[in-house]
Amino acid sequence: MAQKVKLSTIAEALGLSTATVSLALRDSPLVADITRERIKEKAVELGYIYNRRAASLRTSRSGIIGVVVHDIMNPFYAEILKAIETELDRSRQTFILSNHYDSVEKQRNFIETLLQLGGDGVIMSPAIGTPASDIRLAEDNGMPAILIARSVPEIDLPTFRGDDAYGTTLATNHLISLGHTRIAMIGGTDHTSTGRDRYAGYANAMKAAGLELESALRIPGPRTKQSGFEAAVNFLANPLKPTAAVCWNDLVAIGLMNGIARAGLVPGRDISVTGYDDLEEAAIATPALTTVWNGQSEVGRFAARALLDKLNGSSEADGLHLIKPEMRIRQSTGPLHPGGTR
Amino acid sequence: MAQKVKLSTIAEALGLSTATVSLALRDSPLVADITRERIKEKAVELGYIYNRRAASLRTSRSGIIGVVVHDIMNPFYAEILKAIETELDRSRQTFILSNHYDSVEKQRNFIETLLQLGGDGVIMSPAIGTPASDIRLAEDNGMPAILIARSVPEIDLPTFRGDDAYGTTLATNHLISLGHTRIAMIGGTDHTSTGRDRYAGYANAMKAAGLELESALRIPGPRTKQSGFEAAVNFLANPLKPTAAVCWNDLVAIGLMNGIARAGLVPGRDISVTGYDDLEEAAIATPALTTVWNGQSEVGRFAARALLDKLNGSSEADGLHLIKPEMRIRQSTGPLHPGGTR
DNA sequence: GTCAATGATTCAAACGTTTTAACAAAGTAA
DNA sequence: TTACTTTGTTAAAACGTTTGAATCATTGAC
């Protein structure tokens, strides 16, 4: 490797001071146009590489933003992350991604690393059980945080997520409007705020329509295809003979449809199924899945903007911001057959 | 935010010099045990945060490693990235992930950013059309690079990937052994070395079995579910009436199976389909997908180790390292029906 | 012909670490 | 006692940038 090229290398080559070179490269109006030109040419010629660590040491802005979620490979986060990436790219910030796999410890490690690197801010989907102190660690050290997907008790920072209760209400109402009355809810847990909200949305819609809320129709479970697939047995053997299912997410729904098909029934005709998230996969499933678009891209976009705003000292948007979900009606739901298979 | 705590804050609080504090925190044997204890306690008490930028300015080791692939959300990279994460975590390196979406420009931007941040090294799955100069940019500035998944012409760096030609040969031979003769190859492109290798493996197996190599049976395309789904039309309408398909990867295969199912045929009985990669999803697809395990976890692990070795100045492992793939036989392939649906 | 204003450039002090060489104090050997 | 080690600590210079204040020419106004 050749000798490192730095500001002073350029300065010496041109008989100028590093101050001038520094200003010129950042297009300061303080330096004469002709000088700026010469400097920029020289910089390219010598293959100068800006040293951000040195700069940030002086300016205390690193241009680094951290993003930590449960699992970046999880398709649920795909759109959120993509939206964040687009927003941050636009303002030339580098972003560092990390998984916490719902380990509070791994999450704290990440926050500490980010602080060490002088991160300007952090966007996080907090791990289950995140203590308020971990968030304050970031804030107290001058690294503002934005929350997505989940809230943290005692923390009142800008928080963005889909309106889960409203979303499952949409799905349930859709099924009710098709004539279904015995509607199950499949997958998910009551241990997260998301879980409780989604169930509440379903329950409210049922009650509003004057339908019975049967606890046997609630089949909780992991949020995976596998789990949906396995739930099919339970669902089909249910003595209440449900004709429709509101699923926790698209993965569960697709798994359930596979299970139903395996049993010789046709999803969308014999049994109506709704998903949640509107993953890319939903549209190409067989049958194409009726689902609820969760507003992930909006969540990502808003979260990134809120952070950038905060960094620029402008408006605060503390508190919860709910994105309104929308129905995506496809072929996995259909009218109740009066004298149908079941 | 309280006043920033730095080495000198601790030093003053204890009537010591920053030198001693610095050494103590890094467990140098130069400082007395009792002093070290006092220093460490004070550091915790004051909430000291190590400033890596300042340190790296002095040491020129940042502890940052860059990883850039086509699309980190693509499940193909999931296992590779997980393996890299595990390896790098172990040696306390922070890693910065980025997508290049096969844009050479975006990739170069990332390399430049990484250089600016003082990255210690980079692991990359190079974008299609990556010029050798972009790789040299990294190397020439003291940032060693390791390649995964793809090679770059004229570049002889440690490169890790699956043996693609061998893998598609395995898949093709499997179909041939089931009696199929009209076997299509679906998805992918000839613009990458991977693409050419996979096709070569298929072509060689066909020729070795004395089968005709029809160009109409090559249906290239993007490497997504969507693309596989769309290819089904083309595949089913093909005048050569192929009975089996070697797909570029699992995503294409699953998309194709969905498309085949949509047309009323049964994948695994009417049409045999093989995937490639053995994603988690392959095992729970309907029908379960016969595929080729690509050795991704090995690729990630070896690549990370090779980089760490290089950073520690130890052995060089320049050149290509091929991981041997293995067949995973499931239900999406079956014997040719002599008087089958087609 | 002095003074002030303007424009371009530079000085020098930071930013928070690490590290080499030097130093002081105390112990050891003669 | 002196000379030499050993042990623990520190002074000070570096790393490469930014920035407020200072400098130095020019030019214009009176």
Side-chain angles (χ1 to χ4, degrees), chain A residues 6-7 22 26 48 50 58:
Chain A
K6 41 190 168 176
L7 286 187
S22 169
R26 283 172 300 138
Y48 169 68
Y50 179 66
R58 183 58 223 259

Side-chain angles (χ1 to χ4, degrees), chain A residues 16-93:
Chain A
L16 291 169
S17 74
T18 64
T20 311
V21 176
S22 169
L23 293 168
L25 291 178
R26 283 172 300 138
D27 288 324
S28 158
L30 290 178
V31 18
D33 290 355
I34 171 97
T35 319
R36 186 197 344 278
E37 279 316 308
R38 291 204 306 144
I39 291 178
K40 287 196 166 179
E41 274 171 27
K42 203 55 155 187
V44 172
E45 178 193 330
L46 297 177
Y48 169 68
I49 288 184
Y50 179 66
N51 186 327
R52 283 220 239 173
R53 350 214 255 303
S56 79
L57 190 53
R58 183 58 223 259
T59 60
S60 54
R61 273 294 277 275
S62 64
I64 293 181
I65 297 225
V67 180
V68 57
V69 300
H70 174 271
D71 181 359
I72 58 171
M73 272 75 104
N74 183 321
F76 169 77
Y77 290 110
E79 274 203 69
I80 297 186
L81 294 178
K82 234 160 235 174
I84 292 179
E85 181 183 26
T86 318
E87 253 350 88
L88 295 186
D89 264 12
R90 185 169 306 164
S91 52
R92 322 213 110 289
Q93 301 272 343

Side-chain angles (χ1 to χ4, degrees), chain A residues 82 85, chain B residues 67-77 81 97-104 106-107 123-128 148-150 192 222-224 251:
Chain A
K82 234 160 235 174
E85 181 183 26
Chain B
V67 179
V68 56
V69 300
H70 173 272
D71 181 359
I72 58 170
M73 272 74 104
N74 183 322
F76 168 75
Y77 291 109
L81 294 178
L97 237 51
S98 184
N99 307 114
H100 53 55
Y101 301 121
D102 270 332
S103 148
V104 169
K106 210 164 180 316
Q107 178 177 264
I123 297 177
M124 46 196 301
S125 170
I128 294 178
I148 53 177
R150 296 180 187 156
T192 63
R223 303 166 294 249
T224 61
L251 298 179

Side-chain angles (χ1 to χ4, degrees), chain B residues 129-166:
Chain B
T130 300
S133 59
D134 283 356
I135 311 279
R136 295 218 186 86
L137 174 63
E139 287 272 328
D140 291 351
N141 284 90
M143 188 169 73
I146 304 281
L147 304 184
I148 53 177
R150 296 180 187 156
S151 304
V152 171
E154 297 175 51
I155 293 289
D156 182 44
L157 288 170
T159 305
F160 299 87
R161 56 182 167 86
D163 188 338
D164 293 291
Y166 179 72

